[in-house]
Structures are given as C-alpha cells and as structure tokens.
Amino acid sequence: MTAGIAIFIGALYYSNVLTALPTDSIEKEASINEVTITSTVGSKRKVAGKGRTASIEEHLLQLNNVAMVKRGAYAWEPVVNNMSTERLSTTIDGMKIFYACTDKMDPVTSYVESGNLQRVRLDSGLDGNPQATGNIGGSIDLKLRKSGFDAAPQEFNLTTGYEANGHLQVYGADAAFSSQTFYANFGAFYRDADNYRAGGHQDVPFSKFHKVNSFLNLGFRPAPNHIVEGTVIFDRATDVGYPALNMDVSDATGLITSLSYRREQLAGLFYRWETKVYYNHITHNMDDSTRPDVIIHMDMPGKSSTAGLYSLLEGSRGKHQYQLNFDCYYNTLFADMTMYVEGAKPMYMLTWPDVGTFNSGLSLSDNIRLSDTHSIHLSAKGSWQQQRINSDEGYHALEIFFPGVERSKRTFMGRVSVSYAWQKNGWRLAAGTGYGNRAPSVTESFGYFLNNAFDRYDYIGNPHLKNESAVELNTSTSWQNDVIDTRLEVNAFLFHNYIIGTPDNRLSAMTIGAPGVKVYQNLKHAQIVNTAFTFSVTPLSWLRWDNKVSYSYGKESTGAHLPLIAPFTYLTALKLFHQNWEGELGGELVGKQSNYSNKYGESLTPGYAVWHISAGYQFNIHTVVANIHVGVDNLFDRYYSTYSDWNHIPQKGRNIYANLSLKI
Ligand SMILES: [Cu+2]
C-alpha cells in the first residue's frame, strides 16, 4: 500500500540501495517511461555495480520489505513483508506464471534473467498492480527490457562476471535495433557455478548450477500510435543443486511468450489501451540420482502451463489518473512421483492431481492529486475463480481423506485499498488501509503427501479450506532535504482464516523419517507487523551514508510465533563517488531470531555480522562505454546462515568478484 516502488536493473542498481524510495506510484511510473537506462548513466552514480551479472534475486533484495528464502545458491524464493509465494503475486510484464515444483524449488523469478529486465515494480501489501491477484503481502511485476522505437539505431552489450567462491561465471550478450516503425532486441545469457564454500572454507555440497537464457522482443508500428509487440523467453537450468533439500534438479525449463497490441494518444476518457495474450510453459524435473545413501530413489516431475490475456486502459482527467484492467488466465498444474523400492514394484502417486484453474478479474485504480500537498490513492480488484481436479486418479486419492469432496471449487476473491498522503517542505506523511483475500494455492487445497524438508512432515492439502483474508494498516513518515533523507514505516497485517499446515495424528507419514502428516487448516487469526527506519546522509557531494533498521513480528491465534519472520536487522553502507569512480563499504548486522517458531519447525538462528567492500569505474574507449566492478562479499569469511535459509544451510563465505560490461 505504500504505493509502487521500482528499481532499474542495470545503471541505477546501486542508487536505490537502502534509501527510502519515492512512494507515489504514478509519479514513479511516469518518470520511468521517460527515462531510459542510458540517460541515467550520466548521473551521480555512474557504476552499475554488479549490474546484469547479479541475479534477479540479488536485485530484488535491494528493495525495501524484500527477503529471500534460500534452498541453495540458485532460485531463491522472494518474501515480501515476511510473506512468501502463496501470499504474493508475481507477474512478468503483467503475465501470470506459476511454478512447477511441489517443493518450491523454482519460484517464477528463476525463469528470467537480469538481462531480460528493465526494472522491477514492487507494490507492498494489498495495493497490487492491475494484474495481481491474491497479493496479501505484495506484488512483484518484472518489466521486460524492450529497446522501443526511435531509440539508438543499434546497440550491443557484452557482460561478463566472475565470482571466486563457487567459480561462478556469467556471460551475456545482447543487441538492439530500433527505427521509427520497428524494433528488435535479443540476447543470450549463461551462468555456471560449482559448489560454493561457506565461511571457514567449508564446502557446501550440492550447491552448483548451470543456466542458459535467451530472449527476443519485437515491436512493429504500422501506423502512428498503433503498436504490436511480441516476446519470447527461453530459460533452462540444469544440474541445479539444493543443499537444503533431499533432491536436486536435473532440468527446469521455461518458455514464456506474449503478443500485444497497444493504442497510444487516444482522445477521451482513456489515453492508452493495451491488450496482451500470452502463454507460458514450465517443466521441472527433480533428481536424486547423484545423492549418496538414498534408500528409495524417486522421480518427481512437474508441469505448469498458463494461457491468459489482459486488457488495460489508462487515462487521466483533471485531478485523476486511473487504470481499468480486465484479465483472465487458465493454468494447469501437474506433478507426480514414482518411488523405486528395491525388489518391489515402483510406487506411483499424483502429488498435484492435474488441477485446472480459471481466473478472471476486473481491477480499478485511481490516483487523485487533490493539491500539491494532498493526494489519495485507491485501488480495487475482484476476481472469480474456478478450480477443477482434472485427473480421476488424483480425485479418488483425495476422496479417501475427504469423502464426498467436490471435484470443482468456485470462489470469489477481492481486494480494496485506500491511502492518503500529505507532503510539504520535505515532509511526507502517508497512511493507508486495505482489505483482501486469497484462495488457497493448489498445494494447500490438493497437494498429496508432499514432504517438506523444513519441518520434515508430509503435507496433505485440504479441499475444504476457506479463503484467507487480511486487513492491512500502514503508515509512513519521511523527511528529506539536500543532506538528510529519513523515513519510518510500519505496516500490520491482521489475518482471518490464516492457512498453515497443522499435524493430524490420525494419518501416518509416507516419507521415511517424517515425524507425521500435516494437513492445511484455517487458523482463526494471525498477525504480522513490520517496521523499518531508514536514515541516509550525504554530508559531502562525494560521500553518502545509508542506514536501515528493521524489525518484524508474527503470531497466530494459539499464541505461537509464525515461521520465517525476520529478526532485528541493521544494514549500513558508506558510499564514495569521485568522477567516474564509486566505492562502497557496508555491513549487515542481524540479531538472533529469538521469536523463532518451534511449533512450525524452526530452531534458533544466531545473530551475525557480515561486511562487504566494492569499487567500480566507468570509462570510454572511443564510442565504447565500459564498466568495471570489483568487490569482496563476506569480507571476514564468516560462517553464518540467515533465518530464511532452509534448514540453516550456510551462506557463502568470503567471495571475491569482478565484472565487466561493455556497451557498443
Ligand atoms: Cu522440485
């Protein structure tokens, strides 16, 4: 509800680190449409930092309210306001896409590359982007990099990066061509990493990965203000290790396609109209054949495909700037498991019983600029959803536990939010509230004996779950002048019918070593409260000091703490700028997670402090713009894991990196 905040991938990478971001979404959106990456390079912060060699997850971590659940070195799961996938909406250019792994090894952010993206839009809480549904915690929209019309006739980028810890290599090349009536940009990226080492030179087995990604964007303008655009992204990760889990991934492949038509400069109530149709398909194959001491080998493939469309109208009149969006999609999720027991017939089970989800929604938002000092933001969305278990076998298996369960499920979901902001003389005060609900995920409704490596329980979905709902309250106060930029923000989410797995003693576990079976249930209440304070000071034109303190709290109706709630965290960074040079020295100081959730499988995570240092330089050779960046993360080789590292897998020890990017 603290409206949209966004970061550029690339040139502006470091500029938003730790700073309080502008909070007026429309203003931010508008300015982004006018500013291109190239024109921001001349600004104070010249160096793109790790730029495109950084993963999408590393970029996302620069945003306020964002954390990551890590199961290895690859495919981290984004967390916003201490809520993960089920309570977030993630879209790619407004397209819905759903992961294909029953163990959440492949959050949808893992199917794109930094080089595919122009920027990321994050909306905190219930005030989602137009295509977002079920976004109690927030919504992330990954905006694709499109060269656009009338840009530089041609541009070539080369990116390469190396990290000593894990021998991570990144290579990327992309090209862009632009004219009045046509544009194209395309490129390819490659990442390859061996196992990394935790602090104290400890090898972390099964932490390697390989990834290739290629993309193509085409634009055609047959007549002024009539624009046709198309996108294809192909992404494939192979031999991905997950040290926190019992299995790895042999391959995870995503194909993302879209075609859109846009009208610009319309007269009347709306000035822009865009309609996009899209299709994406994901296949995910887990593999335990490289693991030692596996008693029963398993095959666990999963598939997800989504077809959808949205049609967005944007307009402004007087004090109002508004958007009206219709969207619908159809997604199917299928996953199964074959267990090879020695000397016996293989056992087969459907873990996601080929569930088809049709969802169709209408959203509205309005930014009302009452005056220079007062503004109001409103947004609302309603959507209708139908789900059906398409597999007979899967339906009959669930029927054993839920006799008489219906094969299809219909529900209505909605969200409304309103916020008010006052600003004057560098002060900005904002307050907002919202109400919304979400339907249970396919895992929560229909998952079948899914083993969770976090608490080791087997999980069964519950088709009788009610929608989870939440009231959000948020407020922020910020003040800035030429030297100081400071901001305090608090948000609270008060849940009703909170969905979480609870043990069912009548059932016995399928997985060897599992303590029992959990079934998803609605808890009467739960609360999550997040607070953050940021303080930046720029005493000299070449020096800035950024600070951020955050604390969160989560509890449910029985009095137990919620799992995966961030402990007290202090981030600090000293940044230096001189001509074409940039330097940074920073630290992350985290308190012990004393409010850990014993009930939901957590154990205490001790506090830690890690430090980093980096330097960057930008220079020109004829018409080539070169950026070079070197740095060391975890300077003192500290052995540590964060509260959100699955099963306390240790994080990277000291890591020396260097990267070079060339723009021709
Ligand atoms: Cu998986």
Side-chain angles (χ1 to χ4, degrees), residues 586-622:
E588 185 181 342
L589 290 82
V590 179
K592 81 171 176 198
Q593 192 198 15
S594 37
N595 293 333
Y596 67 91
S597 179
N598 204 6
K599 181 173 175 182
Y600 296 107
E602 280 187 318
S603 54
L604 179 78
T605 308
Y608 61 88
V610 285
W611 297 88
H612 67 266
I613 188 164
S614 68
Y617 180 59
Q618 179 181 297
F619 57 100
N620 291 25
I621 316 165
H622 300 294

Side-chain angles (χ1 to χ4, degrees), residues 31 65 255 341-342 372 403 423 425 461 475 479 501 530 570 627 660:
S31 70
N65 315 340
L255 176 70
V341 186
E342 262 194 52
D372 284 348
Q423 54 189 10
N425 302 333
T475 177
W479 182 73
N530 304 297
Y570 171 54
N627 271 297
L660 173 72

Side-chain angles (χ1 to χ4, degrees), residues 101-103 105 249 284 286:
C101 175
T102 50
D103 290 352
M105 287 162 143
V249 165
H284 176 88
M286 284 187 257

Side-chain angles (χ1 to χ4, degrees), residues 243-247 291 449-459 509-518 600-602 646-649:
L245 305 176
N246 308 322
M247 294 187 94
R291 296 289 181 113
F449 284 100
L450 296 172
N451 187 255
N452 183 330
F454 193 67
D455 58 11
R456 314 223 159 261
Y457 275 81
D458 283 341
Y459 277 68
M510 186 89 67
T511 308
I512 297 164
V517 176
K518 284 187 178 180
Y600 296 107
E602 280 187 318
W646 214 246
N647 286 333
H648 296 303
I649 48 155

Side-chain angles (χ1 to χ4, degrees), residues 25 50 146 160 163 174 212 250 271 291 305 324 331 341 345 355 424 463 472 492 503 549 600 609 619 624:
S25 70
K50 279 193 184 178
K146 291 172 184 163
T160 173
E163 297 190 10
D174 65 83
V212 288
S250 56
Y271 57 75
R291 296 289 181 113
S305 57
L324 177 66
N331 165 259
V341 186
K345 225 172 70 177
V355 179
K424 203 173 187 177
E472 179 192 354
V549 177
Y600 296 107
F619 57 100
V624 178

